[in-house]
Amino acid sequence: MSHRFRILAVSSLASFAFASHTARADEVEDTENRIIVRGERAEGIASGATGLPLAIIDTPQSVTVIDRGVLDDFAFDEVNDVLRYVTGVNVEEAETDRTYYNARGFDITEAMVDGIQIPNIWGPSIGSLDTVMWDSIEVVRGANGLLSGVGNPSGTINYRRKHSTGERRVTGELTAASWNRVRGEVDIDMPLTADDSWGLRVVGAAQNSDSYLRDYRSNRTAIQAVIDGRIAENLAISFGYARQEGTSRGVLWGALPLLDSAGNQLDWDFSTSNTQDWTYWKSKDQTAFAEATWTFAPGWSVKSHLTRRINDEPSRLFYVYGTPNAETGLGLYGYPGGYLSTARGWIWDNRLDGTYKLFGRDQKLTIGVQRTTAKFGYLTYPVPTSDPAWGALPALQSGWDGTEVPYPAFGDPVESARINDKQWRVRAATDMELTDRLSLILGANYVDVNTTGFTFGVSAARSESAVSPFVGATFKVLPGVNLYASYSDIFNPQKELGTNLKPVGSAKGKSWEAGLKGEATDKALFGSLALFRSEQSNLAEAAGYDVTLGQTLYNGIFVRSQGVEAEVGGRIAPGLTLQGGVTHLSLEGRNGDPVRTYVPRTTANLLVRWEPTEQLQLGAAMRWQDAIFITNSVGTIRQDDYATLQLQAGYKLSENVSFNLNVANVTNHKHLASLYWDQSFNAAPRSVTGSIRMTF
């Protein structure tokens, strides 16, 4: 059985059904997170915080789910576009092709796909991750030890693949946008057997685009095929393959200088770039997976999942460093870089889910074991020190055209890093209903990390292990209103290299969260309020880029994060829905001084969708953040508070044809993309995206 619906968003606890989007008819028993549609309402089931199949209102952490309907309506074709509108999440585009995410003051280093943990050994996102593969994106904020095996108090992003729905359907979309961006998408969903016990879902996208930044251009393709089926009534299997491949040219490695020698902040045009026209950064990421779920007794199942991941990133880059003279603009120098980064890894995850009797009630239990092995290589293509690429550069204010430095004389490759990483993760959690109103969640996870090898001439060896407990409770104050609280230890292994040229080691600490969650009786409207506090010691914080070594070095610092977060979402009137939230926090060091000042202390986001008629839909997406700054040896760089606004309109010509139009950054507001480093570039100006979607 399937239902047709559209989800605008799930704010912290639940998802809400709107109009005309086909949901996955999940006939395979699955204790992972899913959206279950019942008539005109939807209930969020999220295992992303605890590993247990709990309704989000019963989960003692903050959870937001962005559904496929939002991705389509607002033309969110890249993950960065989506995460900007998740409450409490900040997207740090430090370079054109390297992005970091943070929440509650800490970097989000953990990701999952269909509930399977992808260890952070793969590092930050490279390139623009396409959303064509995902049915929804779930973000759990707060300490996530039971979810990911480490206690990072920022959160975890869980990407949900598109799976077969049991219906036969083909959807295609053509998109044209500013800066010559053209894009095509296809989504093929078909049953493979007459009884719908087997199904195939194939999705793909191809995109080519110029940019508002001088010389920057990119192309990418993404494809995914997933087969779901049953071998027997109690044995379900799923397997598939996904690949994203892209090339960016005219890339920024590092970004623009923001202070001159007198400490004055520099204001660059939207299009300003200090790249050279020969630079490129390629990325090819491949994932193959297979899993089997066996229901061996009523209420009991075991799942085994195997993932193979391969990643290759060849690049030719150009880094610009130095401080421009306040009068002449001179003082910048070049740093050419030629690299080939490779990663090969296996992830084997096994879990047991079931129920047991205690206190005369059925209680939930999950136990999991994960083994991860990965090999990383890093080749450097050296450039002779006599090459002009190492020399002084002309003033950037004079207007570079990308030909200031000829293609460097890159030599034969030298092995700069070879790392073998092995991890064991063992987790267990139980949800116990003590009374009709009180539930208690208890759990723990064990992490063992062992790394051997070297990076840029120094040892990358580390061997650490720890057990992190988790405890959470929910109390039903009134029907549809819950109080909750949770606690988790923090144990976060870190691979960053310290200023002493040794691995920084793990960050450790504690994290608390408490709050209130409520939903209307028809589950059409939902709200939440959360108070949180986390303390971490030895958190890796960038101390600066070592030009001689060729990489960033880090210090371990103490950070205390505490704050409040509010979120609301759902239908507030016929045809009118919204999802929005506000986060306010403080980030202090051990002596009370502010730290990580590039993280905004207050952010707000809002998604609104209105359907005045059956054919017409209108939408708006807004995000605001307060002022941020970062200080270096020259002075202080500031970014004032700002808001961005995106407007959307869609028209349904028929059951099979619809049109969509989006205008992003409507006010054309100029602001920096990030202050993660003390270099940055301007975020995108106003842009227009139009598309036509056809379904057969």
Side-chain angles (χ1 to χ4, degrees):
M1 181 177 182
S2 65
H3 304 265
R4 299 184 67 80
F5 70 106
R6 182 175 296 280
I7 303 291
L8 175 65
V10 183
S11 87
S12 249
L13 309 173
S15 60
F16 302 92
F18 301 128
S20 287
H21 185 69
T22 303
R24 173 187 176 188
D26 193 352
E27 297 182 355
V28 178
E29 288 191 24
D30 185 2
T31 58
E32 301 293 344
N33 172 50
R34 59 190 183 275
I35 304 299
I36 299 178
V37 181
R38 298 186 177 93
E40 285 300 310
R41 70 184 186 185
E43 182 180 4
I45 306 294
S47 65
T50 63
L52 296 161
L54 300 176
I56 306 179
I57 193 170
D58 296 323
T59 301
Q61 285 186 254
S62 298
V63 184
T64 298
V65 180
I66 301 295
D67 189 82
R68 188 69 232 177
V70 173
L71 307 184
D72 291 338
D73 289 348
F74 290 95
F76 290 159
D77 298 326
E78 300 175 1
V79 168
N80 292 352
D81 297 334
V82 185
L83 295 180
R84 286 190 179 93
Y85 296 100
V86 173
T87 298
V89 174
N90 300 299
V91 177
E92 306 285 353
E93 291 186 273
E95 300 164 334
T96 53
D97 288 78
R98 182 156 42 191
T99 306
Y100 302 82
Y101 310 122
N102 63 64
R104 298 186 176 180
F106 303 105
D107 285 2
I108 299 176
T109 59
E110 301 299 312
M112 306 179 80
V113 177
D114 276 355
I116 302 299
Q117 158 68 16
I118 308 297
N120 67 357
I121 49 180
W122 269 274
S125 297
I126 301 299
S128 298
L129 301 182
D130 207 290
T131 61
V132 71
M133 302 177 187
W134 315 126
D135 189 60
S136 64
I137 299 175
E138 172 186 314
V139 180
V140 180
R141 295 181 299 283
N144 51 7
L146 288 184
L147 167 67
S148 62
V150 299
N152 187 338
S154 60
T156 295
I157 304 170
N158 186 19
Y159 301 101
R160 306 297 308 185
R161 285 189 182 98
K162 290 180 178 178
H163 287 263
S164 175
T165 66
E167 293 186 345
R168 188 179 302 275
R169 185 181 68 252
V170 177
T171 300
E173 184 175 42
L174 296 175
T175 298
S178 299
W179 311 306
N180 300 316
R181 183 167 78 94
V182 292
R183 176 182 174 87
E185 284 188 32
V186 65
D187 185 341
I188 302 172
D189 190 359
M190 65 173 66
L192 297 177
T193 57
D195 61 357
D196 293 344
S197 60
W198 287 84
L200 168 68
R201 188 81 175 267
V202 179
V203 297
Q207 177 173 302
N208 190 76
S209 180
D210 293 333
S211 170
Y212 67 97
L213 289 170
R214 189 262 302 161
D215 278 347
Y216 183 70
R217 56 205 184 278
S218 63
N219 63 74
R220 70 171 182 266
T221 58
I223 188 170
Q224 176 177 270
V226 177
I227 294 178
D228 300 296
R230 286 184 179 274
I231 295 179
E233 189 63 29
N234 63 345
L235 180 58
I237 67 170
S238 179
F239 56 91
Y241 171 78
R243 183 185 72 199
Q244 178 171 319
E245 190 169 4
T247 299
S248 297
R249 299 187 182 277
V251 300
L252 284 173
W253 183 38
L256 306 175
L258 296 177
L259 294 175
D260 65 20
S261 59
N264 302 309
Q265 187 161 334
L266 300 170
D267 182 20
W268 303 107
D269 293 336
F270 271 115
S271 62
T272 303
S273 173
N274 54 20
T275 190
Q276 298 300 298
D277 59 10
W278 46 262
T279 61
Y280 66 81
W281 199 332
K282 299 180 180 181
S283 178
K284 184 177 181 180
D285 192 272
Q286 301 179 82
T287 300
F289 78 93
E291 70 177 29
T293 303
W294 176 38
T295 303
F296 60 88
W300 285 90
S301 65
V302 62
K303 176 183 289 187
S304 185
H305 178 105
L306 183 66
T307 287
R308 172 64 166 170
R309 189 174 180 190
I310 298 174
N311 180 267
D312 296 286
E313 294 173 23
S315 60
R316 296 294 184 269
L317 308 172
F318 187 69
Y319 179 70
V320 176
Y321 67 98
T323 302
N325 183 275
E327 296 182 1
T328 66
L330 301 177
L332 297 179
Y333 297 87
Y335 187 113
Y339 305 103
L340 173 59
S341 174
T342 60
R344 306 287 187 269
W346 292 93
I347 301 171
W348 185 35
D349 190 89
N350 302 275
R351 59 181 293 167
L352 172 71
D353 296 282
T355 61
Y356 62 96
K357 285 285 187 181
L358 186 64
F359 309 125
R361 301 169 183 269
D362 286 332
Q363 317 291 7
K364 302 181 183 72
L365 174 70
T366 182
I367 300 173
V369 178
Q370 184 184 91
R371 175 63 166 174
T372 303
T373 62
K375 295 182 179 181
F376 300 90
Y378 205 71
L379 298 181
T380 298
Y381 296 80
V383 177
T385 56
S386 59
D387 195 284
W390 293 103
L393 299 169
L396 188 57
Q397 290 89 336
S398 63
W400 291 12
D401 63 8
T403 62
E404 287 72 25
V405 176
Y407 188 77
F410 292 105
D412 294 332
V414 175
E415 188 177 37
S416 295
R418 187 197 313 140
I419 297 173
N420 293 324
D421 191 276
K422 298 179 180 180
Q423 299 186 18
W424 280 104
R425 299 169 186 243
V426 182
R427 61 193 184 272
T430 181
D431 173 33
M432 297 186 294
E433 290 187 13
L434 303 182
T435 70
D436 290 340
R437 302 173 70 183
L438 179 63
S439 293
L440 181 66
I441 297 175
L442 298 174
N445 80 92
Y446 168 77
V447 182
D448 182 273
V449 179
N450 187 275
T451 302
T452 59
F454 64 91
T455 175
F456 288 88
V458 299
S459 173
R462 59 175 178 167
S463 180
E464 297 182 278
S465 62
V467 176
S468 299
F470 177 96
V471 60
T474 61
F475 181 75
K476 294 178 173 59
V477 181
L478 296 168
V481 179
N482 283 0
L483 287 172
Y484 75 92
S486 63
Y487 165 84
S488 178
D489 271 6
I490 296 171
F491 174 70
N492 188 15
Q494 301 174 119
K495 63 181 183 300
E496 286 81 4
L497 193 65
T499 54
N500 60 355
L501 303 185
K502 296 180 180 179
V504 170
S506 60
K508 299 179 181 180
K510 304 179 185 299
S511 181
W512 302 264
E513 181 173 336
L516 177 70
K517 298 182 178 183
E519 62 185 6
T521 54
D522 62 355
K523 300 185 186 297
L525 186 65
F526 162 81
S528 67
L529 178 67
L531 301 175
F532 57 87
R533 178 187 175 99
S534 298
E535 295 180 351
Q536 280 198 88
S537 59
N538 198 41
L539 178 67
E541 183 79 342
Y545 186 79
D546 189 310
V547 177
T548 303
L549 197 60
Q551 62 177 320
T552 301
L553 300 180
Y554 292 80
N555 286 321
I557 66 171
F558 174 87
V559 179
R560 178 184 298 110
S561 169
Q562 55 189 356
V564 59
E565 192 171 77
E567 197 165 16
V568 63
R571 186 175 65 247
I572 59 176
L576 181 61
T577 57
L578 65 81
Q579 186 269 330
V582 177
T583 300
H584 176 73
L585 58 83
S586 66
L587 291 171
E588 299 175 339
R590 198 176 298 277
N591 58 3
D593 293 337
V595 295
R596 299 173 72 85
T597 55
Y598 61 86
V599 175
R601 271 33 180 183
T602 306
T603 59
N605 59 280
L606 180 65
L607 291 168
V608 179
R609 186 175 182 275
W610 178 41
E611 296 180 349
T613 69
E614 186 177 348
Q615 290 77 30
L616 180 65
Q617 66 176 53
L618 303 174
M622 185 275 292
R623 185 183 188 278
W624 174 86
Q625 71 172 51
D626 64 353
I628 55 176
F629 69 93
I630 186 171
T631 300
N632 63 17
S633 59
V634 179
T636 298
I637 306 163
R638 302 183 186 276
Q639 168 62 66
D640 294 336
D641 67 299
Y642 67 90
T644 57
L645 174 65
Q646 177 171 331
L647 298 179
Q648 178 266 342
Y651 183 76
K652 185 178 180 182
L653 184 65
S654 67
E655 280 294 321
N656 304 103
V657 181
S658 60
F659 299 92
N660 198 31
L661 179 69
N662 275 271
V663 182
N665 194 4
V666 172
T667 61
N668 207 38
H669 187 271
K670 184 193 287 188
H671 59 278
L672 297 173
S674 170
L675 281 182
Y676 194 86
W677 310 114
D678 58 0
Q679 298 178 328
S680 189
F681 60 99
N682 287 312
R686 183 189 300 115
S687 63
V688 179
T689 301
S691 63
I692 178 173
R693 176 178 290 262
M694 295 161 286
T695 302
F696 306 97

